[in-house]
Amino acid sequence: MLLYSTRNKQNTVSFKEALFKGLADDGGLYMPVELPKLSSDFFEALHIMDLQEISLEIVDALLSDEMEPMALNNIISDTLSFDIPLIHIHDNIHCLELFHGPTLAFKDIGARFMARCMSYFNRSDKREIHILVATSGDTGSAVGNGFYKIPGIKVHILYPKDRVSKLQEMQLTTLGENINVLEVDGSFDDCQALVKEAFKDKDISEKLTMSSGNSINIARLIPQSFYYHYAYAQLKENEPVVFSVPCGNFGNLCGGIIAKKMGLPVSQFIAATNVNDVFPSYLRTGKYKPKISRSTISNAMDVGSPSNFERMSDIYDNSLNAFKADISACSFTDQQTRNMMRSVLYKYNYMLDPHGAIAYMGLMNYIGDIGSTKAIFLETAHPAKFIDIMEETLELKIELPDELKKALSGTKNVTTISKNFEDLKAYLLNGSF
Ligand SMILES: *Cc1c(COP(=O)(O)O)cnc(C)c1O
């Protein structure tokens, strides 16, 4: 697969290069030069195919020039070793549960796929690769889990001390093995700045082969297109559907757009956000104005400058009308989110986490106008990941799933560093500081 940089279409690279680089040298994001249309045979057979079969057809169309069929087969079956069920909620409304992976959030899918691709390309090189990732909570545990015990790869996760939840902290810090965790005395922005500086540092890049685990990597987007097809397959209907996606950095939505470009019949995407509404206000006003993010109860979507906006602008040629033809957008407050979480539990006996509740509201807002279309919203995290907010909002006790219980009973293993770059540099170069 050939990919270009969103800042220069002449600057093309292989998938392998895009995978290890993450960001192009010119600062752009990588996009496939071509997204092949899947055959009509594929779409006819979709309803009788399972998640792995569907995913294999898609990666085969995209990556078979760089990876052998057997390798792709193994990567898909290892990545997707859990189901992604579509649950009927009421009327034409369905929920795609993306939270059955090891860290109970949708980011598992992208992170596991990326990790296995890196391990594949590194199989003969035998260099040790260092993955650096800054996290405000969930990305770190998905990336850590994705690379857990993958040979030849060491992960270094940076998170802001005392600013992630107890559960998130335990999920991050109890993995051990090849997953190193650094607790930074600073904010998430400080963590991100440290990672950026490490990539620019000559001494570090001379000594270590480094790569980034954050969400701009194209290898995290490709697998996020699989489950849109699988959701459609589970509907067992042959009419176009509406997808509502809870958005932060818009990586999940980009996966959907890729699926549509490859032929999936999607009549509309709904990009639903919390009060961090840079994208909805762009669609309304035509002006893109990044902002400082505000804290909400759907905190994985607290993004003021969505990193995949540049990718979407590239796909839609910077045309507001082209954007609007495919995507509608809306934003919701915490109060609306809590009300909807209560209402859906009482009316339909289904527990939405705050992120899923925003996607559901996006759908309700839109469906109001169009009635009978089949519609799917994406539920991106297991409600128990946000146990405090859930219990406070719904006034009931929530049982922790085994994955989270296990993390809470594990042994915390972290190195504390200051937000001074010299600390991180010494740690990376010497293994201590
Ligand atoms: C990361 C995340 C999102 C936002 O996904 P993007 O791809 O950044 O738009 C939504 N919900 C949850 C639970 C997440 O962890």
Side-chain angles (χ1 to χ4, degrees):
M1 178 166 74
L2 215 53
L3 302 103
Y4 60 83
S5 159
T6 47
R7 303 210 180 152
N8 176 1
K9 299 216 165 171
Q10 261 58 57
N11 177 5
T12 56
V13 297
S14 65
F15 173 67
K16 177 181 175 182
E17 197 174 340
L19 169 70
F20 285 103
K21 279 191 137 159
L23 210 60
D25 291 333
D26 60 16
L29 303 179
Y30 286 118
M31 281 300 287
V33 168
E34 191 199 3
L35 286 171
K37 282 258 190 285
L38 297 163
S39 70
S40 55
D41 288 354
F42 170 75
F43 287 106
E44 266 158 41
L46 206 55
H47 300 302
I48 53 163
M49 292 166 77
D50 66 25
L51 173 61
Q52 300 198 1
E53 289 166 340
I54 291 170
S55 307
L56 204 52
E57 289 264 349
I58 300 168
V59 284
D60 190 60
L62 292 171
L63 300 176
S64 59
D65 59 334
E66 286 183 60
M67 298 164 90
E68 294 108 41
M70 206 47 214
L72 288 174
N73 209 331
N74 291 340
I75 289 173
I76 291 298
S77 56
D78 281 1
T79 300
L80 300 165
S81 56
F82 46 88
D83 197 18
I84 303 182
L86 187 74
I87 310 290
H88 178 243
I89 306 294
H90 63 90
D91 302 304
N92 283 318
I93 310 295
H94 301 77
C95 173
L96 187 67
E97 292 187 347
L98 294 169
F99 56 73
H100 296 281
T103 74
L104 309 181
F106 90 98
K107 291 190 177 70
D108 280 332
I109 298 153
R112 287 165 71 83
F113 183 80
M114 176 173 74
R116 281 156 186 79
C117 289
M118 282 188 175
S119 163
Y120 167 81
F121 284 114
N122 198 42
R123 69 201 181 286
S124 48
D125 295 3
K126 302 272 180 274
R127 348 163 247 186
E128 187 165 62
I129 297 173
H130 294 260
I131 306 287
L132 244 60
V133 57
T135 183
S136 56
D138 284 344
T139 302
S141 51
V143 171
N145 246 285
F147 283 100
Y148 185 62
K149 292 191 181 173
I150 299 255
I153 297 184
K154 272 212 169 117
V155 177
H156 309 279
I157 302 172
L158 284 73
Y159 76 93
K161 186 172 186 307
D162 300 329
R163 299 198 204 189
V164 303
S165 78
K166 174 82 186 159
L167 257 176
Q168 286 175 325
E169 179 170 47
M170 292 307 279
Q171 273 191 296
L172 278 176
T173 58
T174 54
L175 282 166
E177 297 276 343
N178 59 329
I179 313 301
N180 303 308
V181 185
L182 297 164
E183 174 188 67
V184 177
D185 206 351
S187 67
F188 171 61
D189 293 332
D190 293 325
C191 296
Q192 257 186 326
L194 284 173
V195 168
K196 273 199 181 141
E197 205 163 337
F199 278 106
K200 281 190 286 188
D201 189 274
K202 291 258 168 355
D203 301 330
I204 297 178
S205 57
E206 258 170 33
K207 189 162 167 197
L208 305 177
T209 306
M210 291 206 303
S211 191
S212 153
N214 73 16
S215 72
I216 42 99
N217 202 305
I218 186 71
R220 281 180 58 176
L221 291 196
I222 289 170
Q224 289 173 9
S225 72
F226 304 162
Y227 48 73
Y228 286 86
H229 291 272
Y230 183 53
Y232 181 80
Q234 291 178 80
L235 268 182
K236 310 221 181 288
E237 305 266 349
N238 278 319
E239 50 187 270
V241 294
V242 174
F243 278 101
S244 179
V245 186
C247 294
N249 270 318
F250 287 76
N252 203 358
L253 180 62
C254 279
I257 298 169
I258 290 174
K260 181 168 184 177
K261 294 268 169 221
M262 294 182 78
L264 187 70
V266 178
S267 57
Q268 190 78 10
F269 289 109
I270 298 158
T273 71
N274 57 31
V275 292
N276 294 287
D277 63 349
V278 175
F279 185 73
S281 54
Y282 165 71
L283 285 197
R284 222 174 28 248
T285 63
K287 296 198 177 67
Y288 182 66
K289 287 196 191 138
K291 292 186 212 159
I292 304 278
S293 69
R294 288 162 64 187
S295 296
T296 72
I297 59 168
S298 47
N299 61 11
M301 293 156 43
D302 293 349
V303 180
S305 174
S307 51
N308 283 296
F309 182 75
E310 183 163 336
R311 244 182 201 125
M312 293 197 291
S313 297
D314 180 78
I315 294 172
Y316 294 114
D317 252 345
N318 288 307
S319 151
L320 190 60
N321 285 335
F323 258 110
K324 283 183 174 169
D326 273 5
I327 311 172
S328 308
C330 44
S331 67
F332 301 95
T333 64
D334 279 355
Q335 194 53 52
Q336 290 173 307
T337 309
R338 288 187 197 267
N339 290 345
M340 191 53 90
M341 287 158 65
R342 283 189 280 262
S343 154
V344 170
L345 181 66
Y346 301 144
K347 270 193 181 142
Y348 307 114
N349 199 25
Y350 189 80
M351 206 183 280
L352 291 170
D353 100 296
H355 306 80
I358 286 186
Y360 177 79
M361 285 191 283
L363 209 48
M364 287 301 113
N365 234 20
Y366 183 79
I367 288 283
D369 310 320
I370 52 154
S372 63
T373 308
K374 296 268 184 244
I376 296 169
F377 69 95
L378 272 45
E379 175 50 291
T380 44
H382 191 294
K385 288 202 86 168
F386 307 95
I387 189 161
D388 296 342
I389 292 162
M390 298 302 298
E391 292 188 340
E392 177 189 303
T393 305
L394 302 175
E395 297 174 339
L396 45 77
K397 278 268 161 243
I398 288 185
E399 171 80 5
L400 280 184
D402 290 343
E403 291 88 339
L404 295 180
K405 276 191 197 147
K406 197 170 148 229
L408 280 179
S409 65
T411 313
K412 180 174 160 182
N413 204 332
V414 294
T415 306
T416 307
I417 61 169
S418 75
K419 60 183 179 186
N420 184 339
F421 178 63
E422 293 311 313
D423 267 14
L424 177 65
K425 183 164 173 174
Y427 161 85
L428 287 172
L429 292 178
N430 317 321
S432 64
F433 65 96

